[in-house]
Amino acid sequence: MLVRDRLDVLFADGEFADLYPCDGRPGFSPRQLALVSVLQFAENLSDRADAVRTRIDFKYALGLELEDPGFDYSVLSEFRAGWRKGMPLTGCCR
């Protein structure tokens, strides 16, 4: 799978820094959430498909360990909603 090797540099956490407040608990990597969104779109998967928890190819593309539990599907919808509106998201990536 060449997705990780070619797309990993497509998104950087710093590009999303303005969408995150500097207080509160750390959030998920916006780079990873953006990449998951692209992969889901490419494969026509819904957020509830839970591909990050169950698919080795998604884990590889995201640079996750095989044991990584992934994240709840609601994280993706919140990420995309905040991204579209340009509003702060939960967590801090600065």
Side-chain angles (χ1 to χ4, degrees), residues 20 24 34 39 44-45 50 52 55 61 63 67 75 83 90 93-94:
Y20 284 79
L39 293 172
N44 197 28
L45 298 173
D50 223 8
V52 176
R55 292 185 48 176
E67 304 83 30
V75 172
W83 192 6
T90 303
C93 68
R94 291 186 192 150

Side-chain angles (χ1 to χ4, degrees), residues 75-86:
V75 172
L76 289 169
S77 61
E78 290 173 15
F79 171 75
R80 286 192 297 268
W83 192 6
R84 282 191 297 268
K85 294 179 183 177

Side-chain angles (χ1 to χ4, degrees), residues 26-48:
F28 292 94
S29 165
R31 173 191 60 81
Q32 289 178 327
L33 296 174
L35 186 53
V36 168
S37 297
V38 170
L39 293 172
Q40 285 181 308
F41 177 79
E43 295 200 17
N44 197 28
L45 298 173
S46 72
D47 289 345
R48 291 188 182 253

Side-chain angles (χ1 to χ4, degrees), residues 1-46:
M1 175 183 219
L2 298 174
V3 174
R4 177 178 168 191
D5 301 329
R6 294 188 181 173
L7 292 183
D8 192 46
V9 296
L10 184 62
F11 302 113
D13 285 342
E15 295 177 57
F16 301 92
D18 293 340
L19 297 176
Y20 284 79
C22 285
D23 57 352
R25 64 186 170 107
F28 292 94
S29 165
R31 173 191 60 81
Q32 289 178 327
L33 296 174
L35 186 53
V36 168
S37 297
V38 170
L39 293 172
Q40 285 181 308
F41 177 79
E43 295 200 17
N44 197 28
L45 298 173
S46 72

